[in-house]
Structure formats: C-alpha cells, structure tokens
Amino acid sequence: MKLSHFQFNLPKELLAEYPAENRDESRLMVINREKKTIEHKTFKDVIDYFGDGDVLILNNTKVFPARLYGNKEKTGARIEVFLLRELNSEQRLWDVLVDPARKIRIGNKLYFGDDDSLVAEVIDNTTSRGRTLRFLYDGSYDEFRNKLTELGETPIPKYINREVTPEDAERYQTIYAKEEGAVAAPTAGLHFSKHLLKRLEIKGVKLAEVTLHVGLGTFNPVEVEDLSKHKMDSEELRISQAACDIVNSAKEKKKRICAVGTTSMRAIESSVSSARTLNPFDGWTNKFIFPPHDFSIATCMITNFHTPKSTLMMMVSAFCGHDLMKKAYEEAIKEQYKFYSYGDAMLII
C-alpha cells in the first residue's frame, strides 16, 4: 500500500466543529467485513452488537489543558506554547511546540498570565517547531501543575476554526478518562455516555482499561509514499495484568473483543505474546499499523472518520480491508456523516 491510496476529497462542511448534542446520539455506520454490508444506525444502537462476556477495550487517558499563550520578553509578541510531555518534574522541563517558531530562540523568555506569574526559558531546539522549556515558578510542584491547568486551555484540534468554549473541557474528554497525560482525546470513546456504559455492563459486557497517552505524533502527516518508511512518535503506554486477564479470558471463550478507537488498538497490538494473548506493558510504543497487518486480539473496533492520508485511516484500512473501507468512506460522504474528532463513528465487525 502506498500513501496515495489514502487520498480522498472531503467537503469542508463535513468537518465537525461541535460535538453531537448528546454523546450517544451521534450517527453510527456499521460495517460487516464478512458480509461486506454497510448499515446506518445511531451510536447507542452499539449495544445490540454486544452480549454477556464480550469485552470493550477503553483507553482511559485524560486530556490535559495543553495549549498556553504567552508573551515574548521585550517584544511582547503573543506565542502559542503547546505542551507535549514533561521531561523532568524537578527541573520543570517540558517538550513543547511553539508558534510562530521562527521568533523563538534558545535563551528567550516567555511570560504567562496577566500577572506574569509563570515564566519559561527556552533551553533547546528539538525540531523545527519543537523546543525544550524550563518553567520558572515560585511554588511547590503541585502548585506549578495547578498553574499550568489554570492558564492552559483544552487542546481542541487546529482544524476546528473557533474559540475554545467551556463545553469543550467536558466534551473533548471521555467520561471514563482517569490518567492525565494526553494532548488529544481518544475520540472514538467520546460517543459513550454514562447511561450507555451502564446498559452495556448490565448486559454482561466487560470493560478492560488500558492507558495510551495520545501525543501529536498520531496526527503527524505521513510524508513518504512508501508507508514502511514512516516513523511514528513514541507514546507512553500502560497495560495492567487485570486488563490482560479480562481480555485473555474473553479470547479463550471466543467472545467478541472490541477495541474502542485506534489508540486502544495500537495499545493492544503493541504487547502481544507469541501465543497471541495480551501481555502487561509499561513503557513506550511507536507501533505503526498499516496494511497488510495480522491483528491478534480485537475482533471488532469502533472508530471515527479520519483525515485523508492519516495513520489512523491506514490502521482502519488494515482492519476493515482497503476496498470495503473506501466504499464506507464514499458512503459516509454521500450520507453527510460528520468527520474527525467531534464527528460520527463506525463499528467494524
């Protein structure tokens, strides 16, 4: 498969700028790989496809307010700072992206907040837009983290061309988010409401939680025609023994195992034993899944509709089958499904 196989034209009006009014009332396209059929449902109908002993694998990462705006010393120029990951908590060192990057050099200081109560010094360049910052703040580590939360805003994707609203802080977060560390939401999970999860549990569906802290690498454009030459950024991943036990027991009983989102799928495919069972994991993964790929754990997946040429779309193609996925995307455009983070969902069985 080549990069050009994943190009398609998406009408601008199909980009979802806001979430559906109710989480579980977005639209759901159901794709049956065996029968090659496509059905149109509402997300809460997902309950009809799962029964006693089936498993949903959820990514419980929590988005933190990663986007800050500061002012450059002397010139006062407004600079966007996007927090990627903490490098050293004692020294308050962070990997960040800055915009506009051409104005930010090693040694520059940035001031945040109306009272300039938080200051950062640029101590290294990492990539064209990447910098390492040392934050200077009078206070304990917990007070410093609270300050970042207070000054930061929800990092809704750049293509959403509007101001961040208070609603985004709640809606750009799954209802089961627990482990803070993601700079983007695992968007397939945004469709689950508390009520729907409760109904699934009453039906006997088991939930296995993994933690994959989504970084911006997930959305980095693929710039090579030969997909085998693309390198994914590493993202932090934890899979507990308890999650493995739930998944492996269901696998043994030949129950349906559903990866909720590409991040959950990437998580479980990063830690497979030689017997094709799920292993515990605590570390980093840069797993890149593209066709052809032999999936070991999940028998179905829930995902959103993704951007052309994205690594997310490549994974879906590997799982769904490329021709069937192309047909589904054509149908989604014809039927006016909403795309991307706040968009509609598909269930591939």
Side-chain angles (χ1 to χ4, degrees), residues 67-103:
R67 191 174 276 130
L68 305 172
Y69 292 95
N71 297 97
K72 192 178 164 189
E73 65 176 338
K74 295 184 182 141
T75 66
R78 180 173 149 102
I79 306 292
E80 179 189 309
V81 172
F82 196 102
L83 301 172
L84 291 179
R85 60 175 72 100
E86 187 174 47
L87 301 174
N88 183 310
S89 57
E90 275 178 45
Q91 295 182 37
R92 298 180 188 174
L93 296 182
W94 281 75
D95 248 347
V96 305
L97 295 177
V98 292
D99 192 21
R102 67 188 189 295
K103 294 185 172 179

PDB file of all heavy atoms in Angstrom, residues 67-103:
ATOM      1  N   ARG A  67      -2.656  23.703  25.761  1.00  0.00           N
ATOM      2  CA  ARG A  67      -2.343  24.876  24.938  1.00  0.00           C
ATOM      3  C   ARG A  67      -2.303  26.136  25.804  1.00  0.00           C
ATOM      4  O   ARG A  67      -3.278  26.477  26.463  1.00  0.00           O
ATOM      5  CB  ARG A  67      -3.390  25.018  23.832  1.00  0.00           C
ATOM      6  CG  ARG A  67      -3.029  26.019  22.765  1.00  0.00           C
ATOM      7  CD  ARG A  67      -4.030  26.020  21.617  1.00  0.00           C
ATOM      8  NE  ARG A  67      -3.737  24.997  20.635  1.00  0.00           N
ATOM      9  CZ  ARG A  67      -4.625  24.117  20.166  1.00  0.00           C
ATOM     10  NH1 ARG A  67      -5.861  24.130  20.602  1.00  0.00           N
ATOM     11  NH2 ARG A  67      -4.275  23.237  19.251  1.00  0.00           N
ATOM     12  N   LEU A  68      -1.141  26.792  25.826  1.00  0.00           N
ATOM     13  CA  LEU A  68      -0.949  28.028  26.600  1.00  0.00           C
ATOM     14  C   LEU A  68      -0.614  29.170  25.643  1.00  0.00           C
ATOM     15  O   LEU A  68      -0.064  28.945  24.567  1.00  0.00           O
ATOM     16  CB  LEU A  68       0.239  27.897  27.560  1.00  0.00           C
ATOM     17  CG  LEU A  68       0.319  26.767  28.569  1.00  0.00           C
ATOM     18  CD1 LEU A  68       1.693  26.771  29.232  1.00  0.00           C
ATOM     19  CD2 LEU A  68      -0.727  26.942  29.637  1.00  0.00           C
ATOM     20  N   TYR A  69      -0.911  30.371  26.065  1.00  0.00           N
ATOM     21  CA  TYR A  69      -0.496  31.555  25.295  1.00  0.00           C
ATOM     22  C   TYR A  69       0.356  32.440  26.193  1.00  0.00           C
ATOM     23  O   TYR A  69      -0.029  32.755  27.316  1.00  0.00           O
ATOM     24  CB  TYR A  69      -1.715  32.325  24.773  1.00  0.00           C
ATOM     25  CG  TYR A  69      -2.467  31.550  23.726  1.00  0.00           C
ATOM     26  CD1 TYR A  69      -3.567  30.770  24.069  1.00  0.00           C
ATOM     27  CD2 TYR A  69      -2.043  31.551  22.397  1.00  0.00           C
ATOM     28  CE1 TYR A  69      -4.243  30.018  23.117  1.00  0.00           C
ATOM     29  CE2 TYR A  69      -2.711  30.804  21.430  1.00  0.00           C
ATOM     30  CZ  TYR A  69      -3.813  30.044  21.800  1.00  0.00           C
ATOM     31  OH  TYR A  69      -4.465  29.293  20.848  1.00  0.00           O
ATOM     32  N   GLY A  70       1.541  32.778  25.709  1.00  0.00           N
ATOM     33  CA  GLY A  70       2.446  33.622  26.482  1.00  0.00           C
ATOM     34  C   GLY A  70       2.920  34.798  25.653  1.00  0.00           C
ATOM     35  O   GLY A  70       2.561  34.926  24.473  1.00  0.00           O
ATOM     36  N   ASN A  71       3.689  35.647  26.269  1.00  0.00           N
ATOM     37  CA  ASN A  71       4.265  36.806  25.571  1.00  0.00           C
ATOM     38  C   ASN A  71       5.773  36.762  25.665  1.00  0.00           C
ATOM     39  O   ASN A  71       6.336  36.459  26.725  1.00  0.00           O
ATOM     40  CB  ASN A  71       3.742  38.113  26.183  1.00  0.00           C
ATOM     41  CG  ASN A  71       2.239  38.234  26.014  1.00  0.00           C
ATOM     42  OD1 ASN A  71       1.477  37.917  26.931  1.00  0.00           O
ATOM     43  ND2 ASN A  71       1.812  38.640  24.839  1.00  0.00           N
ATOM     44  N   LYS A  72       6.399  37.062  24.538  1.00  0.00           N
ATOM     45  CA  LYS A  72       7.856  37.042  24.486  1.00  0.00           C
ATOM     46  C   LYS A  72       8.398  38.281  25.192  1.00  0.00           C
ATOM     47  O   LYS A  72       7.845  39.382  25.045  1.00  0.00           O
ATOM     48  CB  LYS A  72       8.288  37.025  23.020  1.00  0.00           C
ATOM     49  CG  LYS A  72       9.745  36.731  22.801  1.00  0.00           C
ATOM     50  CD  LYS A  72      10.036  36.681  21.311  1.00  0.00           C
ATOM     51  CE  LYS A  72      11.524  36.775  21.076  1.00  0.00           C
ATOM     52  NZ  LYS A  72      11.852  36.934  19.675  1.00  0.00           N
ATOM     53  N   GLU A  73       9.491  38.100  25.940  1.00  0.00           N
ATOM     54  CA  GLU A  73      10.080  39.247  26.637  1.00  0.00           C
ATOM     55  C   GLU A  73      10.511  40.295  25.614  1.00  0.00           C
ATOM     56  O   GLU A  73      10.806  39.997  24.481  1.00  0.00           O
ATOM     57  CB  GLU A  73      11.281  38.798  27.491  1.00  0.00           C
ATOM     58  CG  GLU A  73      12.455  38.252  26.697  1.00  0.00           C
ATOM     59  CD  GLU A  73      13.649  37.913  27.587  1.00  0.00           C
ATOM     60  OE1 GLU A  73      13.739  38.465  28.691  1.00  0.00           O
ATOM     61  OE2 GLU A  73      14.468  37.094  27.158  1.00  0.00           O
ATOM     62  N   LYS A  74      10.521  41.526  26.043  1.00  0.00           N
ATOM     63  CA  LYS A  74      10.909  42.699  25.230  1.00  0.00           C
ATOM     64  C   LYS A  74       9.892  43.026  24.154  1.00  0.00           C
ATOM     65  O   LYS A  74       9.288  44.081  24.165  1.00  0.00           O
ATOM     66  CB  LYS A  74      12.314  42.535  24.624  1.00  0.00           C
ATOM     67  CG  LYS A  74      13.406  42.487  25.691  1.00  0.00           C
ATOM     68  CD  LYS A  74      14.787  42.418  25.093  1.00  0.00           C
ATOM     69  CE  LYS A  74      15.813  42.324  26.212  1.00  0.00           C
ATOM     70  NZ  LYS A  74      16.898  41.425  25.896  1.00  0.00           N
ATOM     71  N   THR A  75       9.633  42.087  23.191  1.00  0.00           N
ATOM     72  CA  THR A  75       8.730  42.439  22.079  1.00  0.00           C
ATOM     73  C   THR A  75       7.261  42.300  22.473  1.00  0.00           C
ATOM     74  O   THR A  75       6.397  42.947  21.877  1.00  0.00           O
ATOM     75  CB  THR A  75       8.971  41.521  20.869  1.00  0.00           C
ATOM     76  OG1 THR A  75       8.587  40.188  21.217  1.00  0.00           O
ATOM     77  CG2 THR A  75      10.422  41.534  20.433  1.00  0.00           C
ATOM     78  N   GLY A  76       6.966  41.425  23.461  1.00  0.00           N
ATOM     79  CA  GLY A  76       5.569  41.210  23.860  1.00  0.00           C
ATOM     80  C   GLY A  76       4.776  40.396  22.855  1.00  0.00           C
ATOM     81  O   GLY A  76       3.558  40.265  22.971  1.00  0.00           O
ATOM     82  N   ALA A  77       5.459  39.833  21.830  1.00  0.00           N
ATOM     83  CA  ALA A  77       4.742  39.050  20.802  1.00  0.00           C
ATOM     84  C   ALA A  77       4.003  37.883  21.447  1.00  0.00           C
ATOM     85  O   ALA A  77       4.514  37.230  22.349  1.00  0.00           O
ATOM     86  CB  ALA A  77       5.748  38.520  19.778  1.00  0.00           C
ATOM     87  N   ARG A  78       2.769  37.652  20.959  1.00  0.00           N
ATOM     88  CA  ARG A  78       1.949  36.545  21.509  1.00  0.00           C
ATOM     89  C   ARG A  78       2.447  35.223  20.903  1.00  0.00           C
ATOM     90  O   ARG A  78       2.529  35.075  19.678  1.00  0.00           O
ATOM     91  CB  ARG A  78       0.480  36.780  21.140  1.00  0.00           C
ATOM     92  CG  ARG A  78      -0.480  35.696  21.650  1.00  0.00           C
ATOM     93  CD  ARG A  78      -1.894  36.176  21.363  1.00  0.00           C
ATOM     94  NE  ARG A  78      -2.845  35.101  21.098  1.00  0.00           N
ATOM     95  CZ  ARG A  78      -3.718  34.654  21.989  1.00  0.00           C
ATOM     96  NH1 ARG A  78      -3.741  35.144  23.203  1.00  0.00           N
ATOM     97  NH2 ARG A  78      -4.586  33.705  21.664  1.00  0.00           N
ATOM     98  N   ILE A  79       2.755  34.277  21.765  1.00  0.00           N
ATOM     99  CA  ILE A  79       3.301  32.989  21.327  1.00  0.00           C
ATOM    100  C   ILE A  79       2.435  31.854  21.867  1.00  0.00           C
ATOM    101  O   ILE A  79       2.115  31.826  23.056  1.00  0.00           O
ATOM    102  CB  ILE A  79       4.760  32.800  21.846  1.00  0.00           C
ATOM    103  CG1 ILE A  79       5.663  33.975  21.446  1.00  0.00           C
ATOM    104  CG2 ILE A  79       5.341  31.465  21.366  1.00  0.00           C
ATOM    105  CD1 ILE A  79       5.967  34.104  19.972  1.00  0.00           C
ATOM    106  N   GLU A  80       2.059  30.948  20.982  1.00  0.00           N
ATOM    107  CA  GLU A  80       1.338  29.752  21.442  1.00  0.00           C
ATOM    108  C   GLU A  80       2.361  28.695  21.846  1.00  0.00           C
ATOM    109  O   GLU A  80       3.314  28.422  21.119  1.00  0.00           O
ATOM    110  CB  GLU A  80       0.459  29.191  20.324  1.00  0.00           C
ATOM    111  CG  GLU A  80      -0.276  27.935  20.755  1.00  0.00           C
ATOM    112  CD  GLU A  80      -0.985  27.230  19.608  1.00  0.00           C
ATOM    113  OE1 GLU A  80      -1.736  27.890  18.869  1.00  0.00           O
ATOM    114  OE2 GLU A  80      -0.768  26.019  19.464  1.00  0.00           O
ATOM    115  N   VAL A  81       2.157  28.115  23.030  1.00  0.00           N
ATOM    116  CA  VAL A  81       3.019  27.033  23.515  1.00  0.00           C
ATOM    117  C   VAL A  81       2.134  25.805  23.727  1.00  0.00           C
ATOM    118  O   VAL A  81       1.158  25.855  24.475  1.00  0.00           O
ATOM    119  CB  VAL A  81       3.704  27.418  24.846  1.00  0.00           C
ATOM    120  CG1 VAL A  81       4.441  26.230  25.449  1.00  0.00           C
ATOM    121  CG2 VAL A  81       4.660  28.584  24.628  1.00  0.00           C
ATOM    122  N   PHE A  82       2.470  24.725  23.013  1.00  0.00           N
ATOM    123  CA  PHE A  82       1.684  23.500  23.129  1.00  0.00           C
ATOM    124  C   PHE A  82       2.520  22.478  23.894  1.00  0.00           C
ATOM    125  O   PHE A  82       3.560  22.030  23.421  1.00  0.00           O
ATOM    126  CB  PHE A  82       1.335  22.970  21.735  1.00  0.00           C
ATOM    127  CG  PHE A  82       0.231  21.960  21.743  1.00  0.00           C
ATOM    128  CD1 PHE A  82      -1.053  22.320  21.371  1.00  0.00           C
ATOM    129  CD2 PHE A  82       0.458  20.650  22.137  1.00  0.00           C
ATOM    130  CE1 PHE A  82      -2.083  21.390  21.390  1.00  0.00           C
ATOM    131  CE2 PHE A  82      -0.558  19.721  22.172  1.00  0.00           C
ATOM    132  CZ  PHE A  82      -1.842  20.093  21.789  1.00  0.00           C
ATOM    133  N   LEU A  83       2.081  22.151  25.114  1.00  0.00           N
ATOM    134  CA  LEU A  83       2.829  21.220  25.970  1.00  0.00           C
ATOM    135  C   LEU A  83       2.694  19.798  25.414  1.00  0.00           C
ATOM    136  O   LEU A  83       1.579  19.314  25.230  1.00  0.00           O
ATOM    137  CB  LEU A  83       2.264  21.241  27.391  1.00  0.00           C
ATOM    138  CG  LEU A  83       2.274  22.598  28.110  1.00  0.00           C
ATOM    139  CD1 LEU A  83       1.499  22.491  29.423  1.00  0.00           C
ATOM    140  CD2 LEU A  83       3.694  23.069  28.380  1.00  0.00           C
ATOM    141  N   LEU A  84       3.815  19.155  25.156  1.00  0.00           N
ATOM    142  CA  LEU A  84       3.773  17.784  24.649  1.00  0.00           C
ATOM    143  C   LEU A  84       4.010  16.768  25.758  1.00  0.00           C
ATOM    144  O   LEU A  84       3.212  15.874  25.981  1.00  0.00           O
ATOM    145  CB  LEU A  84       4.822  17.579  23.546  1.00  0.00           C
ATOM    146  CG  LEU A  84       4.572  18.311  22.236  1.00  0.00           C
ATOM    147  CD1 LEU A  84       5.697  18.042  21.262  1.00  0.00           C
ATOM    148  CD2 LEU A  84       3.241  17.873  21.616  1.00  0.00           C
ATOM    149  N   ARG A  85       5.145  16.898  26.451  1.00  0.00           N
ATOM    150  CA  ARG A  85       5.401  15.955  27.548  1.00  0.00           C
ATOM    151  C   ARG A  85       6.381  16.543  28.539  1.00  0.00           C
ATOM    152  O   ARG A  85       7.265  17.324  28.170  1.00  0.00           O
ATOM    153  CB  ARG A  85       5.911  14.615  27.024  1.00  0.00           C
ATOM    154  CG  ARG A  85       7.195  14.643  26.243  1.00  0.00           C
ATOM    155  CD  ARG A  85       7.625  13.220  25.895  1.00  0.00           C
ATOM    156  NE  ARG A  85       6.778  12.635  24.881  1.00  0.00           N
ATOM    157  CZ  ARG A  85       7.096  12.564  23.589  1.00  0.00           C
ATOM    158  NH1 ARG A  85       8.245  13.070  23.168  1.00  0.00           N
ATOM    159  NH2 ARG A  85       6.288  12.020  22.727  1.00  0.00           N
ATOM    160  N   GLU A  86       6.197  16.121  29.770  1.00  0.00           N
ATOM    161  CA  GLU A  86       7.089  16.556  30.843  1.00  0.00           C
ATOM    162  C   GLU A  86       8.360  15.697  30.793  1.00  0.00           C
ATOM    163  O   GLU A  86       8.291  14.476  30.757  1.00  0.00           O
ATOM    164  CB  GLU A  86       6.377  16.367  32.183  1.00  0.00           C
ATOM    165  CG  GLU A  86       7.117  16.942  33.359  1.00  0.00           C
ATOM    166  CD  GLU A  86       6.295  16.846  34.641  1.00  0.00           C
ATOM    167  OE1 GLU A  86       5.735  15.768  34.919  1.00  0.00           O
ATOM    168  OE2 GLU A  86       6.206  17.854  35.345  1.00  0.00           O
ATOM    169  N   LEU A  87       9.519  16.356  30.773  1.00  0.00           N
ATOM    170  CA  LEU A  87      10.792  15.631  30.704  1.00  0.00           C
ATOM    171  C   LEU A  87      11.394  15.405  32.092  1.00  0.00           C
ATOM    172  O   LEU A  87      12.007  14.375  32.350  1.00  0.00           O
ATOM    173  CB  LEU A  87      11.799  16.408  29.842  1.00  0.00           C
ATOM    174  CG  LEU A  87      11.381  16.673  28.395  1.00  0.00           C
ATOM    175  CD1 LEU A  87      12.389  17.572  27.712  1.00  0.00           C
ATOM    176  CD2 LEU A  87      11.250  15.360  27.629  1.00  0.00           C
ATOM    177  N   ASN A  88      11.239  16.401  32.972  1.00  0.00           N
ATOM    178  CA  ASN A  88      11.828  16.302  34.308  1.00  0.00           C
ATOM    179  C   ASN A  88      10.995  17.148  35.263  1.00  0.00           C
ATOM    180  O   ASN A  88      10.931  18.373  35.123  1.00  0.00           O
ATOM    181  CB  ASN A  88      13.284  16.798  34.255  1.00  0.00           C
ATOM    182  CG  ASN A  88      13.991  16.649  35.590  1.00  0.00           C
ATOM    183  OD1 ASN A  88      13.482  17.061  36.628  1.00  0.00           O
ATOM    184  ND2 ASN A  88      15.185  16.084  35.569  1.00  0.00           N
ATOM    185  N   SER A  89      10.340  16.484  36.222  1.00  0.00           N
ATOM    186  CA  SER A  89       9.413  17.207  37.097  1.00  0.00           C
ATOM    187  C   SER A  89      10.154  18.118  38.074  1.00  0.00           C
ATOM    188  O   SER A  89       9.685  19.203  38.392  1.00  0.00           O
ATOM    189  CB  SER A  89       8.502  16.237  37.848  1.00  0.00           C
ATOM    190  OG  SER A  89       9.270  15.317  38.577  1.00  0.00           O
ATOM    191  N   GLU A  90      11.332  17.676  38.535  1.00  0.00           N
ATOM    192  CA  GLU A  90      12.088  18.509  39.488  1.00  0.00           C
ATOM    193  C   GLU A  90      12.560  19.808  38.850  1.00  0.00           C
ATOM    194  O   GLU A  90      12.455  20.885  39.419  1.00  0.00           O
ATOM    195  CB  GLU A  90      13.295  17.725  40.026  1.00  0.00           C
ATOM    196  CG  GLU A  90      12.958  16.839  41.219  1.00  0.00           C
ATOM    197  CD  GLU A  90      14.175  16.049  41.677  1.00  0.00           C
ATOM    198  OE1 GLU A  90      15.268  16.642  41.770  1.00  0.00           O
ATOM    199  OE2 GLU A  90      14.006  14.836  41.929  1.00  0.00           O
ATOM    200  N   GLN A  91      13.103  19.679  37.638  1.00  0.00           N
ATOM    201  CA  GLN A  91      13.615  20.877  36.954  1.00  0.00           C
ATOM    202  C   GLN A  91      12.547  21.594  36.138  1.00  0.00           C
ATOM    203  O   GLN A  91      12.804  22.622  35.531  1.00  0.00           O
ATOM    204  CB  GLN A  91      14.785  20.492  36.049  1.00  0.00           C
ATOM    205  CG  GLN A  91      15.981  19.972  36.837  1.00  0.00           C
ATOM    206  CD  GLN A  91      17.141  19.654  35.897  1.00  0.00           C
ATOM    207  OE1 GLN A  91      17.369  20.346  34.922  1.00  0.00           O
ATOM    208  NE2 GLN A  91      17.870  18.600  36.219  1.00  0.00           N
ATOM    209  N   ARG A  92      11.341  21.002  36.102  1.00  0.00           N
ATOM    210  CA  ARG A  92      10.211  21.586  35.356  1.00  0.00           C
ATOM    211  C   ARG A  92      10.549  21.787  33.883  1.00  0.00           C
ATOM    212  O   ARG A  92      10.308  22.846  33.305  1.00  0.00           O
ATOM    213  CB  ARG A  92       9.743  22.883  36.032  1.00  0.00           C
ATOM    214  CG  ARG A  92       9.262  22.561  37.448  1.00  0.00           C
ATOM    215  CD  ARG A  92       8.775  23.720  38.245  1.00  0.00           C
ATOM    216  NE  ARG A  92       8.536  23.270  39.622  1.00  0.00           N
ATOM    217  CZ  ARG A  92       8.207  24.058  40.623  1.00  0.00           C
ATOM    218  NH1 ARG A  92       8.092  25.346  40.433  1.00  0.00           N
ATOM    219  NH2 ARG A  92       8.004  23.574  41.829  1.00  0.00           N
ATOM    220  N   LEU A  93      11.131  20.739  33.320  1.00  0.00           N
ATOM    221  CA  LEU A  93      11.483  20.757  31.890  1.00  0.00           C
ATOM    222  C   LEU A  93      10.373  20.110  31.081  1.00  0.00           C
ATOM    223  O   LEU A  93       9.877  19.040  31.453  1.00  0.00           O
ATOM    224  CB  LEU A  93      12.782  19.979  31.643  1.00  0.00           C
ATOM    225  CG  LEU A  93      14.070  20.493  32.266  1.00  0.00           C
ATOM    226  CD1 LEU A  93      15.238  19.615  31.858  1.00  0.00           C
ATOM    227  CD2 LEU A  93      14.345  21.935  31.836  1.00  0.00           C
ATOM    228  N   TRP A  94       9.998  20.751  29.964  1.00  0.00           N
ATOM    229  CA  TRP A  94       8.938  20.229  29.104  1.00  0.00           C
ATOM    230  C   TRP A  94       9.352  20.279  27.643  1.00  0.00           C
ATOM    231  O   TRP A  94      10.008  21.218  27.203  1.00  0.00           O
ATOM    232  CB  TRP A  94       7.663  21.066  29.271  1.00  0.00           C
ATOM    233  CG  TRP A  94       6.876  20.731  30.502  1.00  0.00           C
ATOM    234  CD1 TRP A  94       7.177  21.068  31.791  1.00  0.00           C
ATOM    235  CD2 TRP A  94       5.649  19.997  30.562  1.00  0.00           C
ATOM    236  NE1 TRP A  94       6.216  20.587  32.645  1.00  0.00           N
ATOM    237  CE2 TRP A  94       5.268  19.931  31.925  1.00  0.00           C
ATOM    238  CE3 TRP A  94       4.840  19.395  29.604  1.00  0.00           C
ATOM    239  CZ2 TRP A  94       4.105  19.287  32.343  1.00  0.00           C
ATOM    240  CZ3 TRP A  94       3.680  18.758  30.014  1.00  0.00           C
ATOM    241  CH2 TRP A  94       3.323  18.695  31.379  1.00  0.00           C
ATOM    242  N   ASP A  95       8.916  19.266  26.901  1.00  0.00           N
ATOM    243  CA  ASP A  95       8.956  19.288  25.440  1.00  0.00           C
ATOM    244  C   ASP A  95       7.715  20.026  24.974  1.00  0.00           C
ATOM    245  O   ASP A  95       6.599  19.665  25.389  1.00  0.00           O
ATOM    246  CB  ASP A  95       8.856  17.838  24.911  1.00  0.00           C
ATOM    247  CG  ASP A  95      10.133  17.380  24.272  1.00  0.00           C
ATOM    248  OD1 ASP A  95      11.003  18.220  24.018  1.00  0.00           O
ATOM    249  OD2 ASP A  95      10.252  16.159  24.022  1.00  0.00           O
ATOM    250  N   VAL A  96       7.870  21.012  24.108  1.00  0.00           N
ATOM    251  CA  VAL A  96       6.714  21.793  23.650  1.00  0.00           C
ATOM    252  C   VAL A  96       6.847  22.075  22.157  1.00  0.00           C
ATOM    253  O   VAL A  96       7.916  21.907  21.565  1.00  0.00           O
ATOM    254  CB  VAL A  96       6.583  23.149  24.404  1.00  0.00           C
ATOM    255  CG1 VAL A  96       6.542  22.946  25.902  1.00  0.00           C
ATOM    256  CG2 VAL A  96       7.704  24.111  24.017  1.00  0.00           C
ATOM    257  N   LEU A  97       5.739  22.519  21.565  1.00  0.00           N
ATOM    258  CA  LEU A  97       5.763  23.119  20.230  1.00  0.00           C
ATOM    259  C   LEU A  97       5.447  24.597  20.404  1.00  0.00           C
ATOM    260  O   LEU A  97       4.614  24.959  21.248  1.00  0.00           O
ATOM    261  CB  LEU A  97       4.704  22.488  19.321  1.00  0.00           C
ATOM    262  CG  LEU A  97       4.869  21.013  18.975  1.00  0.00           C
ATOM    263  CD1 LEU A  97       3.696  20.540  18.132  1.00  0.00           C
ATOM    264  CD2 LEU A  97       6.179  20.756  18.234  1.00  0.00           C
ATOM    265  N   VAL A  98       6.112  25.448  19.618  1.00  0.00           N
ATOM    266  CA  VAL A  98       5.831  26.890  19.703  1.00  0.00           C
ATOM    267  C   VAL A  98       5.386  27.410  18.338  1.00  0.00           C
ATOM    268  O   VAL A  98       5.785  26.882  17.299  1.00  0.00           O
ATOM    269  CB  VAL A  98       7.069  27.692  20.190  1.00  0.00           C
ATOM    270  CG1 VAL A  98       7.376  27.367  21.638  1.00  0.00           C
ATOM    271  CG2 VAL A  98       8.283  27.441  19.319  1.00  0.00           C
ATOM    272  N   ASP A  99       4.558  28.420  18.362  1.00  0.00           N
ATOM    273  CA  ASP A  99       4.042  29.005  17.132  1.00  0.00           C
ATOM    274  C   ASP A  99       3.816  30.505  17.362  1.00  0.00           C
ATOM    275  O   ASP A  99       3.109  30.854  18.308  1.00  0.00           O
ATOM    276  CB  ASP A  99       2.717  28.308  16.777  1.00  0.00           C
ATOM    277  CG  ASP A  99       2.236  28.636  15.377  1.00  0.00           C
ATOM    278  OD1 ASP A  99       3.069  29.054  14.554  1.00  0.00           O
ATOM    279  OD2 ASP A  99       1.036  28.459  15.121  1.00  0.00           O
ATOM    280  N   PRO A 100       4.394  31.401  16.567  1.00  0.00           N
ATOM    281  CA  PRO A 100       5.302  31.145  15.442  1.00  0.00           C
ATOM    282  C   PRO A 100       6.708  30.790  15.926  1.00  0.00           C
ATOM    283  O   PRO A 100       7.273  31.482  16.774  1.00  0.00           O
ATOM    284  CB  PRO A 100       5.303  32.483  14.689  1.00  0.00           C
ATOM    285  CG  PRO A 100       4.964  33.506  15.725  1.00  0.00           C
ATOM    286  CD  PRO A 100       4.102  32.833  16.743  1.00  0.00           C
ATOM    287  N   ALA A 101       7.249  29.705  15.347  1.00  0.00           N
ATOM    288  CA  ALA A 101       8.516  29.160  15.836  1.00  0.00           C
ATOM    289  C   ALA A 101       9.719  30.022  15.460  1.00  0.00           C
ATOM    290  O   ALA A 101      10.705  30.070  16.191  1.00  0.00           O
ATOM    291  CB  ALA A 101       8.695  27.742  15.293  1.00  0.00           C
ATOM    292  N   ARG A 102       9.621  30.713  14.336  1.00  0.00           N
ATOM    293  CA  ARG A 102      10.800  31.466  13.858  1.00  0.00           C
ATOM    294  C   ARG A 102      11.217  32.566  14.837  1.00  0.00           C
ATOM    295  O   ARG A 102      12.359  33.018  14.842  1.00  0.00           O
ATOM    296  CB  ARG A 102      10.548  32.052  12.460  1.00  0.00           C
ATOM    297  CG  ARG A 102       9.480  33.125  12.411  1.00  0.00           C
ATOM    298  CD  ARG A 102       9.118  33.558  11.010  1.00  0.00           C
ATOM    299  NE  ARG A 102       8.252  34.717  10.986  1.00  0.00           N
ATOM    300  CZ  ARG A 102       7.028  34.782  11.439  1.00  0.00           C
ATOM    301  NH1 ARG A 102       6.517  33.768  12.019  1.00  0.00           N
ATOM    302  NH2 ARG A 102       6.290  35.872  11.364  1.00  0.00           N
ATOM    303  N   LYS A 103      10.279  32.966  15.715  1.00  0.00           N
ATOM    304  CA  LYS A 103      10.589  34.056  16.664  1.00  0.00           C
ATOM    305  C   LYS A 103      11.229  33.551  17.960  1.00  0.00           C
ATOM    306  O   LYS A 103      11.631  34.348  18.798  1.00  0.00           O
ATOM    307  CB  LYS A 103       9.301  34.797  17.029  1.00  0.00           C
ATOM    308  CG  LYS A 103       8.676  35.554  15.862  1.00  0.00           C
ATOM    309  CD  LYS A 103       7.480  36.342  16.341  1.00  0.00           C
ATOM    310  CE  LYS A 103       6.958  37.254  15.221  1.00  0.00           C
ATOM    311  NZ  LYS A 103       5.790  38.008  15.651  1.00  0.00           N
TER     312      LYS A 103
END
